[in-house]
Amino acid sequence: MSCELKLKERIGTINPIFTCQPAGAQYASIGIKDCIGIVHGGQGCVMFVRLLISQHLKESFEIASSSVHEDGAVFGALNRVEEAVDVLLMRYPHVKVIPIITTCSTEVIGDDVDGVVTKLEEELLQVKYPDREVHLIPIHTPSFVGSMVSGYDVAVRDFVKYFAKKDKPSFKINLITGWVNPGDVTELKRLLAEMQIEANVLFEIESFDSPLMPDKSAVSHGSTTIEDLISTADAQGTIALNRYEGGKAAKFLEKRWDVPAIIGPTPIGIRNTDTFLQNLKAMTGKPIPDSLVRDRGIAIDAITDLTHMFLADKKVAIYGNPDLVIGLAEFCLDLEMKPVLLLLGDENAEYENDPRIKALQDSVDFDMEIVANADLWDLEDRIKNKGLELDLILGHSKGRFIAIDNMIPMVRVGFPTYDRAGLFRYPVVGYKGATWLAEQMANALFTDMEYKKNKEWILNVW
Amino acid sequence: MPYHEFECSKCIPERKQHAVTKGPGEDLTSCLPKGYLNTIPGSISERGCAYCGAKHVIGTPMKDVIHLSHGPIGCTYDTWQTKRYISDNGNFQLKYTFATDVREKHIVFGAEKLLKQNIIEAFQQFPDIKRMTIYQTCATALIGDDINAIAEEVMEELPDVDIFICNSPGFAGPSQSGGHHKINIAWINQKVGTVEPTITSDYVINYVGEYNIQGDQEVMQDFFKRMGIQVLSTFTGNGSYDDLRAMHKAHLNVLECARSAEYICNELRVRYGIPRLDIDGFGFEPLSQSLRKVAMFFGIQDRAEAIIAEETARWKPELDWYKERLKGKKVCLWPGGSKLWHWAHVIEEEMGLKVVSVYTKFGHQGDMEKGIARCGEDALAIDDPNELEGLEALEMLKPDIIFTGKRPGEVAKKVGVPYLNAHAYHNGPYKGYEGWVRFARDIYNAIYSPIHQLAALDISRDPIPTDKGFVTQRMLSDASLPEEIRASTTLRQYSGAYDSVTPLRDKTYPTFDSRPAAAE
């Protein structure tokens, strides 16, 4: 009976769980209103990330490229950034925020992006756009460092760092959601509204689930404004839901602007949502209302129908973003399930000191492996060649063939989930998320029982 | 004036020469946009990179190969599971992708050792696969790793494996097209002529520039096999690595996508004297002509004619059912490269559609020449379009449907224009006679979806029709159709199966007597 945190044993990556840093920075950037990022590198670094995001959300988002070609790779490509900024500003009059997001190629050739931003501020912006509010923000996200998760974390910090400024104290709190779905934001906002807490929800992407309107006017973009970002320094406190996606910004605000920070836990499952509400209460002094007691009761009621009858002892493998994976594992334990394998798709020295991982190591009473720097072959190889038996897989769509080929039911969760309809619309956080997750898992098991004719008759009288 | 100036691009005057409208009586001398030039930074172009052109478009469809990208994880992740090039060996190439996972320390100290460990490890993990392609990326091109030397080393140590090197970093050219070129040339330089094939027919072809999107290659291979022609290799869809090493032994190169794969055909002609024949698997007439041309080359026209007659009789009434209902519908034909000229004329002739615009993301001027020549008057042709230009064109042209990629398709959706995936297809394959009917069926289903009427209704101000609980596609498409067409007993809707490709894999083919040996 042990729970071990280890690194992937192989040196290479077969079927990566994550893409690279610039993708995370791009995802953060589309959460800001009037913002179009410029990714400084080859065109694929943007084109494929836009495709990936559109696969997941079934929406298109605008992100530009500096289109570095061969000459730029040889002689330096800062002129491409200068031109890109000008072209973007000329053609998109509403744009105010332009992050310059670096990639491996432009970090390797050593383009001085910070220098060119200063130059643009002193020359182009003053001469050609003197009356226009424009913010150019260098964001360094070389692809050979970290992953899309750290890219998101770095970008959120850099945006906050750039804008945050004290004005007058506010009763609002900052809520940094991390890399979530529109459905999660809706649920978080609902919880805040029930608590009557005014929050500055940062990198607010609820509107990514955008309508098709009769006047054809809808475009998808995030809702966090420059003012929202500036006022982060005035907040009563910051809650960053995810340690690894927004934690850096929360720490920055605490250190630089004395805004108290609470980082985590990711409010997945009943227990972590309880803690989230307790944190909100502690930070604002607002009580937890009866309405949420009732909401919680509905979730508990739903879970009670499922847990000891269907979910107990089911062996689960979970992969994806670290905060999501840990949150799901904790919830699974509360549901009497056995998360036997957790795969974290990058290497991060902080995992060792993560109190949630330590708690798992201290208390889990079955064999659990936590693999950092993992890839999806870590999962498939264990199933195919090493005798791992699973009842369920929780993870994003890139692992779909593991479930299909090995006939293991799977609930899609995380990013991206392009092979199931509309999942971005549903929360995994909060009480609603807890209900949804438990019921999705149960329904996946039920469908599997029916396809495999494995005691499918049990459901006759449930 | 043939050039079309977009309002949104007036501030970048160089864009003006990248779009033309084909005026009355104009030919290519007066209306050919510039093409394949450097992208304008910040314009939000739709272009990809040369790495993706090499790895994602041409390399990965090879089905029995470990596809290893030497670089950080992102390049390989991003170009994985975003295409529909299937294979008859369980889709290994779709399911597995490999990255050497280059980190900061490797950027500083070099990543050759890492690469070698990766190659050996990947072969260990997949002991049944003995072939590998290694793709350079921006990062490893810039640090200057000698991938060839490492591959040579491994091939000496592991004599049963073979490794192909593709040096096509993302920045190598204005678009993915640069990568197409690089991998074409690399393949013929490194691999062609290194395997001697078994020849089983008097008529032997390489099928080139075909990527088996949703099974296109398998559909076309079926025709060739029915004609007794041996398809020695396919470059590269559903293609086998070792078959492609034997390309030099074909009698004829049958070329489908001349944008992405004409380079290797031209080299095969120069180096091995194998002629190139351009064909077209899309559309009844172009396909029939193509089969005739191939047959004529070998002197087996009767075999082609038999197939053409059989397939046309089977599928033409279904195509015509859709043609009657698609007449005059306006299309923006906005694919990546070659489909603008593969499809432009034939969807007009065989489906009655009206092409109001063509564009190409990575095509060259030659593609525009062919595309514009095949368009009617007033068609707007755009090279390397960007986000705003696309929207402006949609607003101006008000098409009924757009054929483009997944992400631009989402843009079109928001302005009320349905889209079909031009790269990966909706419910393909689209090649072959049946495939062409499937395409027509998909177009019909997209245009006549009752959802468009509902989408246009503003319930806050428009009168809300309350007389109908539902509307069918037929109620919309047949409303103004003459009675004799509506009630026709010869025309019929598509009658094929959801999966039209898998059954081909178990098919048996006639054997033909060998041609008598020619007198020496």
Side-chain angles (χ1 to χ4, degrees):
Chain A
M1 304 298 160
S2 72
C3 170
E4 208 185 331
L5 172 64
K6 54 176 103 162
L7 288 173
K8 178 185 63 182
E9 285 165 10
R10 284 167 290 111
I11 192 151
T13 300
I14 305 172
N15 294 354
I17 290 174
F18 296 149
T19 185
C20 55
Q21 284 214 115
Q26 290 174 66
Y27 196 79
S29 79
I30 58 175
I32 300 175
K33 199 166 180 301
D34 302 328
C35 169
I36 296 181
I38 294 171
V39 180
H40 186 34
Q43 291 163 158
C45 309
V46 180
M47 195 270 263
F48 283 105
V49 172
R50 293 179 75 201
L51 175 60
L52 182 68
I53 295 171
S54 83
Q55 276 189 284
H56 176 71
L57 288 159
K58 314 297 182 214
E59 305 282 347
S60 173
F61 295 89
E62 287 160 336
I63 308 167
S65 173
S66 64
S67 298
V68 172
H69 301 325
E70 211 140 22
D71 53 343
V74 177
F75 301 114
L78 287 171
N79 59 323
R80 306 291 282 177
V81 176
E82 293 182 45
E83 195 179 345
V85 169
D86 191 25
V87 168
L88 199 61
L89 286 173
M90 283 193 289
R91 301 176 79 227
Y92 291 84
H94 70 283
V95 164
K96 298 191 184 99
V97 183
I98 305 179
I100 320 283
I101 298 163
T102 65
T103 61
C104 37
S105 60
T106 50
E107 290 285 347
V108 172
I109 64 175
D111 265 0
D112 180 9
V113 170
D114 301 72
V116 85
V117 162
T118 310
K119 183 181 175 211
L120 283 163
E121 283 168 350
E122 285 168 3
E123 292 168 17
L124 179 79
L125 297 190
Q126 288 200 11
V127 174
K128 196 166 170 184
Y129 305 97
D131 302 321
R132 185 160 162 188
E133 181 184 5
V134 178
H135 304 277
L136 305 176
I137 305 156
I139 294 180
H140 293 275
T141 44
S143 321
F144 44 77
V145 174
S147 70
M148 68 184 201
V149 174
S150 60
Y152 183 92
D153 204 25
V154 163
V156 165
R157 181 203 56 200
D158 288 357
F159 281 119
V160 168
K161 200 169 175 177
Y162 177 92
F163 285 108
K165 224 171 91 189
K166 276 248 190 267
D167 182 14
K168 48 179 187 262
S170 145
F171 287 111
K172 280 192 177 180
I173 64 158
N174 298 320
L175 184 74
I176 303 177
T177 63
W179 193 318
V180 293
N181 274 318
D184 293 313
V185 179
T186 306
E187 170 64 359
L188 291 166
K189 285 165 109 176
R190 195 184 66 83
L191 294 173
L192 292 164
E194 294 293 338
M195 296 270 295
Q196 299 186 331
I197 292 170
E198 269 198 76
N200 188 359
V201 181
L202 291 165
F203 304 88
E204 209 271 65
I205 56 152
E206 191 180 14
S207 58
F208 282 7
D209 184 5
S210 74
L212 203 171
M213 295 299 282
D215 65 358
K216 302 169 184 175
S217 62
V219 280
S220 307
H221 54 70
S223 319
T224 291
T225 63
I226 292 173
E227 291 68 36
D228 293 337
L229 288 164
I230 292 171
S231 68
T232 50
D234 290 327
Q236 229 186 106
T238 303
I239 295 183
L241 298 181
N242 289 345
R243 196 179 179 87
Y244 303 107
E245 299 155 13
K248 276 192 172 68
K251 279 186 209 151
F252 166 80
L253 285 168
E254 187 166 60
K255 208 169 158 201
R256 174 69 183 80
W257 296 108
D258 299 321
V259 181
I262 298 175
I263 296 170
T266 312
I268 294 175
I270 303 293
R271 208 176 291 274
N272 283 325
T273 303
D274 293 349
T275 307
F276 172 57
L277 296 184
Q278 172 55 36
N279 289 341
L280 287 172
K281 183 176 160 183
M283 190 172 272
T284 64
K286 297 271 176 73
I288 297 171
D290 289 345
S291 61
L292 289 181
V293 176
R294 188 184 154 77
D295 266 7
R296 185 174 182 275
I298 289 174
I300 299 267
D301 183 82
I303 288 166
T304 309
D305 289 338
L306 301 171
T307 173
H308 59 273
M309 170 80 188
F310 297 111
L311 301 177
D313 301 327
K314 293 285 187 272
K315 294 199 192 94
V316 194
I318 313 171
Y319 62 86
N321 291 27
D323 290 296
L324 176 74
V325 169
I326 296 167
L328 289 171
E330 291 174 327
F331 185 38
C332 283
L333 288 167
D334 264 339
L335 296 174
E336 304 180 54
M337 303 170 84
K338 289 190 163 57
V340 291
L341 179 63
L342 311 187
L343 301 174
L344 314 175
D346 58 6
E347 202 174 340
N348 188 331
E350 288 182 42
Y351 292 153
E352 253 180 75
N353 304 316
D354 190 315
R356 298 168 297 178
I357 291 177
K358 284 203 158 130
L360 291 171
Q361 290 178 310
D362 289 345
S363 305
V364 163
D365 60 351
F366 54 90
D367 285 331
M368 178 196 273
E369 279 184 290
I370 307 175
V371 187
N373 192 35
D375 57 20
L376 288 169
W377 184 243
D378 274 314
L379 174 57
E380 189 171 350
D381 183 41
R382 279 173 173 78
I383 297 168
K384 274 194 173 139
N385 305 318
K386 304 201 167 119
L388 176 66
E389 286 180 9
L390 290 174
D391 300 297
L392 188 68
I393 295 172
L394 302 180
H396 57 67
S397 298
K398 291 276 185 182
R400 63 192 300 258
F401 285 114
I402 302 175
I404 297 167
D405 287 351
N406 297 287
M407 313 250 281
I408 298 168
M410 172 171 171
V411 171
R412 272 70 171 170
V413 55
F415 177 94
T417 56
Y418 46 79
D419 70 332
R420 284 295 180 274
L423 292 193
F424 56 84
R425 206 162 279 130
Y426 301 92
V428 298
V429 299
Y431 299 127
K432 286 228 182 342
T435 309
W436 187 82
L437 276 172
E439 291 179 341
Q440 286 286 304
M441 290 196 280
N443 286 337
L445 294 172
F446 296 164
T447 308
D448 187 64
M449 287 157 65
E450 290 166 3
Y451 278 131
K452 291 180 183 159
K453 298 212 185 310
N454 179 14
K455 296 184 69 169
E456 75 288 358
W457 39 259
I458 244 180
L459 293 164
N460 282 1
V461 293
W462 177 52
Chain B
M1 260 313 274
Y3 285 126
H4 176 83
E5 186 167 36
F6 284 99
E7 275 301 315
C8 62
S9 293
K10 279 195 162 148
C11 53
I12 34 177
E14 59 266 48
R15 278 298 302 162
K16 194 174 160 184
Q17 295 180 342
H18 290 262
V20 299
T21 305
K22 188 175 179 179
E26 278 180 350
D27 61 20
L28 293 168
T29 54
S30 53
C31 62
L32 187 63
K34 287 191 168 171
Y36 199 50
L37 296 175
N38 284 354
T39 318
I40 298 171
S43 62
I44 315 198
S45 153
E46 291 180 15
R47 285 172 161 179
C49 62
Y51 160 82
C52 101
K55 185 256 187 185
H56 189 42
V57 177
I58 298 188
T60 314
M62 274 191 222
K63 66 186 172 186
D64 46 9
V65 181
I66 288 170
H67 295 282
L68 173 66
S69 295
H70 187 32
I73 49 167
C75 313
T76 197
Y77 176 101
D78 289 352
T79 52
W80 170 46
Q81 288 193 19
T82 67
K83 285 230 175 210
R84 293 181 178 140
Y85 32 58
I86 55 174
S87 65
D88 57 13
N89 70 337
N91 294 322
F92 180 82
Q93 76 291 350
L94 286 182
K95 289 178 184 172
Y96 299 101
T97 196
F98 300 72
T100 55
D101 194 7
V102 167
R103 307 288 179 85
E104 195 158 24
K105 62 185 175 196
H106 307 117
I107 297 293
V108 178
F109 299 111
E112 290 180 356
K113 194 174 151 215
L114 173 81
L115 173 63
K116 186 170 176 184
Q117 288 171 312
N118 255 281
I119 299 171
I120 292 167
E121 185 181 272
F123 281 125
Q124 277 168 354
Q125 296 297 316
F126 290 83
D128 296 338
I129 307 274
K130 301 289 182 194
R131 302 291 176 256
M132 176 182 282
T133 298
I134 302 173
Y135 304 92
Q136 196 184 40
T137 62
C138 290
T140 50
L142 289 166
I143 63 172
D145 274 359
D146 189 346
I147 299 177
N148 295 55
I150 300 296
E152 288 297 331
E153 236 178 85
V154 175
M155 284 195 278
E156 267 176 37
E157 290 170 29
L158 306 173
D160 58 342
V161 308
D162 198 80
I163 302 172
F164 167 57
I165 311 300
C166 175
N167 290 321
S168 179
F171 53 74
S175 72
Q176 44 271 66
S177 186
H180 303 157
H181 180 240
K182 287 193 159 57
I183 194 170
N184 270 248
I185 300 304
W187 185 263
I188 190 160
N189 282 347
Q190 291 174 45
K191 294 302 166 199
V192 173
T194 59
V195 156
E196 289 305 312
T198 310
I199 300 297
T200 58
S201 165
D202 293 330
Y203 316 112
V204 183
I205 64 167
N206 296 312
Y207 187 26
V208 183
E210 163 56 56
Y211 304 106
N212 203 31
I213 306 297
Q214 293 207 27
D216 275 354
Q217 185 267 355
E218 294 173 74
V219 168
M220 294 296 287
Q221 184 173 250
D222 173 61
F223 298 137
F224 296 134
K225 283 184 176 173
R226 282 154 73 182
M227 287 159 68
I229 293 170
Q230 181 185 1
V231 180
L232 192 60
S233 72
T234 302
F235 189 87
T236 53
N238 198 30
S240 176
Y241 185 101
D242 280 2
D243 291 347
L244 283 155
R245 294 166 75 187
M247 289 180 95
H248 60 294
K249 280 296 164 72
H251 305 137
L252 179 68
N253 287 312
V254 172
L255 175 62
E256 189 89 43
C257 176
R259 172 66 285 122
S260 61
E262 67 169 352
Y263 317 106
I264 195 164
C265 281
N266 295 347
E267 287 303 311
L268 285 164
R269 182 171 53 199
V270 171
R271 300 185 196 187
Y272 299 100
I274 309 171
R276 153 186 166 176
L277 182 68
D278 288 27
I279 68 151
D280 192 340
F282 295 114
F284 280 48
E285 194 50 34
L287 172 55
S288 298
Q289 289 299 351
S290 297
L291 296 179
R292 281 190 189 106
K293 280 198 289 187
V294 174
M296 205 177 289
F297 180 85
F298 292 118
I300 49 175
Q301 291 95 315
D302 52 328
R303 297 182 192 175
E305 293 303 337
I307 293 170
I308 295 164
E310 184 191 330
E311 294 282 333
T312 307
R314 169 70 182 85
W315 298 110
K316 188 75 173 19
E318 302 191 2
L319 179 66
D320 288 344
W321 189 94
Y322 293 102
K323 182 182 183 179
E324 292 296 344
R325 289 159 177 85
L326 295 176
K327 270 183 189 160
K329 293 293 173 190
K330 293 190 287 182
V331 180
C332 282
L333 174 49
W334 288 357
S338 68
K339 288 196 189 82
L340 78 105
W341 46 266
H342 273 299
W343 287 355
H345 60 311
V346 70
I347 57 176
E348 293 203 345
E349 283 160 18
E350 299 194 353
M351 297 183 194
L353 296 159
K354 166 87 183 139
V355 176
V356 292
S357 177
V358 291
Y359 85 28
T360 175
K361 295 198 280 186
F362 55 79
H364 301 200
Q365 275 195 311
D367 299 287
M368 273 297 190
E369 278 181 35
K370 287 190 264 188
I372 293 169
R374 292 173 178 189
C375 282
E377 269 175 25
D378 300 329
L380 171 64
I382 317 166
D383 165 69
D384 179 23
N386 56 59
E387 192 80 357
L388 289 177
E389 290 173 355
L391 273 170
E392 193 177 316
L394 286 180
E395 208 164 291
M396 179 177 82
L397 300 166
K398 301 200 173 8
D400 296 292
I401 190 164
I402 169 174
F403 304 155
T404 190
K406 153 83 193 147
R407 193 202 47 75
E410 298 295 341
V411 179
K413 175 180 81 180
K414 285 288 194 263
V415 295
V417 181
Y419 108 101
L420 283 193
N421 195 319
H423 314 303
Y425 311 154
H426 270 42
N427 290 294
Y430 289 166
K431 278 184 183 162
Y433 298 89
E434 180 177 0
W436 199 240
V437 178
R438 292 171 78 94
F439 186 23
R441 182 265 323 261
D442 283 357
I443 299 169
Y444 173 85
N445 285 346
I447 289 179
Y448 291 109
S449 169
I451 200 69
H452 306 313
Q453 277 189 342
L454 295 175
L457 181 76
D458 184 344
I459 52 169
S460 71
R461 58 182 72 173
D462 299 336
I464 299 177
T466 55
D467 60 327
K468 286 194 183 71
F470 66 89
V471 167
T472 67
Q473 295 130 289
R474 284 292 289 279
M475 286 160 74
L476 298 169
S477 68
D478 290 10
S480 54
L481 224 49
E483 178 57 27
E484 71 268 21
I485 290 167
R486 215 180 325 175
S488 164
T489 51
T490 50
L491 304 180
R492 59 174 189 267
Q493 280 181 270
Y494 178 60
S495 61
Y498 180 67
D499 177 3
S500 59
V501 173
T502 307
L504 297 175
R505 293 176 187 165
D506 298 323
K507 207 168 147 177
T508 48
Y509 291 91
T511 46
F512 294 90
D513 288 338
S514 221
R515 185 172 46 180
E520 289 294 322

